[in-house]
Amino acid sequence: MAQTQTPPSRMPLGAHAHAPDLPASDGHLVARALVMRYGSEPRRADERADGVAVDVPALGGVDLTIAAGESVAVMGPSGSGKTTLLHVLAGILQPTGGQVLWSGRDLARLGDAERTRLRREDFGFVFQQGMLLPELPAVENVALPLMLARTRRSKAVARATALFEPLGLAGLERRRPGELSGGQAQRVAIARALVGRPGVVFADEPTGALDQVTSAEVMRHLTSLTAHTGASLVVVTHDENVAAWCSRIVRMRDGRIESAEVRA
Ligand SMILES: Nc1ncnc2c1ncn2[C@@H]1O[C@H](COP(=O)(O)OP(=O)(O)OP(=O)(O)O)[C@@H](O)[C@H]1O
Ligand SMILES: [Mg+2]
């Protein structure tokens, strides 16, 4: 269907469309002055025009506010800090400096158990290769996060099954990942990310292994389902066509946000 290949048209909106500093309450994800230096990272030094070497950390002071229900594409050259930013926002990596606030709570101030619970229940993840368990049928892959969170098996499977139809996967519930196409497997991974009804879905190059048509199909499902559930979406991508599905594009360079563009 040709229609599935193009994102809905976006109208440029006025400055009121996105306030860069929304309050940190009601489910917003806020990053303040994030700095990340990896312990083992060889210091990268860039030369300024005047010949002075400048240290370049993986993140060099990133401010970003993601509103509830907003979809943000993070773009930028390889090594610019996109994955690092995603992992810091998701509480997977502890930043060297700065803060991440989720619903007004500073991730660094949470205990390990609480941070783990939050990652499991409030955040969903989609990776470049779905990372599905090959021996489990698709529906059980989707139900797994709920079962790990001690939801009853029948309830977990019922909730997982309910996601197959809206993702265009009806009838594929019992297939194992090896019996699915790349795009189908990636939609199963999206179902798994959404099954716990997270407040934010993080996706790192979710279409990196897919062709253009399949990528568009995956993005259509990802953006429509997150919009439907009110989840925010943060997508790292190299592909402008993928980014075009998001309401905002943030461009990184050398660990900093170079520019941000509101698309809708
Ligand atoms: N675990 C690590 N240890 C040391 N340095 C790291 C580590 N992970 C990333 N880096 C460095 O941090 C910088 C940012 O890396 P990052 O993975 O965030 O980039 P990226 O924008 O996601 O790149 P790509 O598009 O290639 O995935 C790079 O200079 C990288 O070498
Ligand atoms: Mg990366």
Side-chain angles (χ1 to χ4, degrees), residues 199-218:
V200 187
V201 173
F202 296 96
D204 197 351
E205 309 257 12
T207 64
L210 305 176
D211 62 57
Q212 283 293 326
V213 172
T214 316
S215 291
E217 194 61 24
V218 163

Side-chain angles (χ1 to χ4, degrees), residues 82-83 204-205 236:
K82 305 180 297 295
T83 295
D204 197 351
E205 309 257 12
V236 168

Side-chain angles (χ1 to χ4, degrees), residues 6-14 69-73 219-220 222-224 226-227 233 235 240-249 261-264:
T6 36
S9 62
R10 304 286 186 185
M11 295 289 289
L13 295 176
E70 190 184 17
S71 54
V72 178
M219 285 307 293
R220 181 170 71 83
L222 187 55
T223 50
S224 73
T226 48
L233 175 63
V235 182
E240 295 282 352
N241 295 320
V242 165
W245 287 88
C246 296
S247 51
R248 183 153 54 120
I249 302 178
E261 169 191 334
V262 177
R263 299 180 47 79

